[in-house]
Each structure stands twice: as C-alpha cells, then as structure tokens.
Amino acid sequence: MISLSTDLKDIYRPSLSLMHILCLKAAFEGSALEEDMWVQSEDGKTVGAVAKNGGRLYLFSPHGDTDELKEFINTVGFSEIFTEKATAKRLGLKTEKEYEVLLRRSVKSAEFDPFGIGLSPLYDGLKFGEDGDISLPSFKDFAADISHRLRHGAAVAALNENSAALGFKCEKGVIINGISVKRELRGRGLGRLILSELLSYSDGDVLAAAEAKNTEFYIKNGFEVIDKAVIAR
C-alpha cells in the first residue's frame, strides 16, 4: 500500500534516493512549501518512500511491490525519476543518466553558521563547476530553495574565492550537492580542501553522486562506491 505520509522511521539505509527524501522532509515538512511525500507499506512495515519535488520523483523502494509502484508513478505523474539503478531496471524505466553512489562516514567537528555565506557569492562559486557535474537553476530558484534549507538547518556550504561546495542535510547525514573549483586552478588540491571543510559540518553518512570520471576524486578522499543511481523516465 502506498499512502501520503512523512513517517520514515525504521526505514533508513545508506541510499541516495532515500537521503534525498529525508533532506526534503527536513527542509519542508510543516511549511507552506511541504513536498508531496508517500510511504510504501507491506505487512505493516514501511518498505519504501517517494517524494515529488517539481516534476522529479525521488523513489526509494528496493523490495516494494513492482506492479503497485508502476501504477503509482503513472498516476502521480513525473518528468523524471531519481532512484537506484536496480529499482529503475525492475520498473522498466529508461535511464537518462547514471551515477556512482559514494559513501563516507563523517564526524561533526565544527558548527555551521547558516547566515555566514551569502547566496549570491555561493551561487557564483558553484558556477565554477557548471562545465562538470553541477547544473544550476536560475538564481531566483536557487535562492528560494537554498535560503529555505539554510534557515531550517537543512543545508551546509563552504566558500572561498576559488572554490565552493554545497550539501543538503538531514538527521541521518548530508548529500553533497556540488563541489566546484575555478578551471584554471584545478589539480592543486583545492577540491580536497573545500570538501574537507564541507565534511567538517556533516554528521552521520555523507553521500555523493558522481559520474565515472569524478569517482576517483571521492575515493581518494575517503569515500567508497556503494551503489549506482540513475535519472530515468
């Protein structure tokens, strides 16, 4: 059974799709911007979760009823789905983009000031990485989303004149949303330094999605590959 709910207790495992759902819950639950969120239950136990953010569905259901999921996603509608590769294959979805999912355990060592970084400088810093994995929305959309997350303790960031990093946060950990370094300064260890600063604000599991060409960077910085995730249709 799939029903509207934000009750995600006793479901956690290191999964990028689930962490996205948990981060949406941390940012928007109880607000006027609350996202559509559902849980999938079988025999009284929660076995999956879905959240809709704009046209994208975040889908976590490693073992949920396949036919039920197919009917559900077609009913609610979507422009794209972010989920684990195995789940997309099980649902017969067409993969548009594939990522390696990487995990690092982290211990918090510093307090993060959500108002210590301006949104415009952060946006400009992240634009350094638009030639790679980072794809930024308009500044208006970015500012509305990130300012809300920062105010609710659901985002962390690091910034200097040559690099920037952003992560989404929930009680279970952090998703690295983007790391960028000025093109002309790459290969000098600046990515490692800005990642280290971001990790210093991170409790619990830290998850990242990387294209194959960038996987080695995360592995060299203490991450391990645990899964594959996809954007699918």
Side-chain angles (χ1 to χ4, degrees), residues 109-129:
S109 59
E111 292 294 331
F112 176 68
D113 177 6
F115 306 108
I117 295 177
L119 290 173
S120 181
L122 178 61
Y123 185 81
D124 290 341
L126 291 170
K127 287 179 73 173
F128 299 149

Side-chain angles (χ1 to χ4, degrees), residues 6-20:
T6 58
D7 184 0
L8 300 177
K9 64 183 179 182
D10 302 325
I11 192 177
Y12 181 72
R13 57 179 272 190
S15 156
L16 198 60
S17 63
L18 179 57
M19 190 73 90
H20 270 293

Side-chain angles (χ1 to χ4, degrees), residues 41-97:
S41 303
E42 294 180 1
D43 299 325
K45 296 181 180 180
T46 302
V47 297
V50 185
K52 189 172 186 180
N53 182 15
R56 175 181 283 189
L57 287 182
Y58 292 96
L59 171 60
F60 170 74
S61 183
H63 308 296
D65 184 279
T66 301
D67 290 336
E68 180 183 51
L69 281 171
K70 286 181 178 179
E71 182 178 355
F72 173 78
I73 62 177
N74 287 329
T75 298
V76 298
F78 59 90
S79 59
E80 62 185 25
I81 294 178
F82 186 96
T83 189
E84 278 65 44
K85 183 178 181 179
T87 301
K89 183 177 181 180
R90 181 161 55 89
L91 293 172
L93 299 173
K94 179 183 177 182
T95 296
E96 298 287 329
K97 198 167 186 178

Side-chain angles (χ1 to χ4, degrees), residues 158-190:
L159 176 68
N160 58 48
E161 63 181 357
N162 298 315
S163 57
L166 175 67
F168 295 158
K169 186 177 181 181
C170 67
E171 63 179 7
K172 296 297 185 180
V174 168
I175 299 169
I176 296 177
N177 190 256
I179 296 175
S180 67
V181 176
K182 284 184 177 178
R183 178 191 288 271
E184 64 271 22
L185 297 176
R186 293 173 188 171
R188 303 184 187 184
L190 297 180

Side-chain angles (χ1 to χ4, degrees), residues 132-175:
D133 284 345
I134 296 177
S135 179
L136 289 172
S138 68
F139 176 73
K140 180 180 178 181
D141 290 340
F142 174 87
D145 182 31
I146 303 307
S147 63
H148 182 88
R149 291 180 190 264
L150 288 170
R151 290 196 308 273
H152 289 81
V156 289
L159 176 68
N160 58 48
E161 63 181 357
N162 298 315
S163 57
L166 175 67
F168 295 158
K169 186 177 181 181
C170 67
E171 63 179 7
K172 296 297 185 180
V174 168
I175 299 169

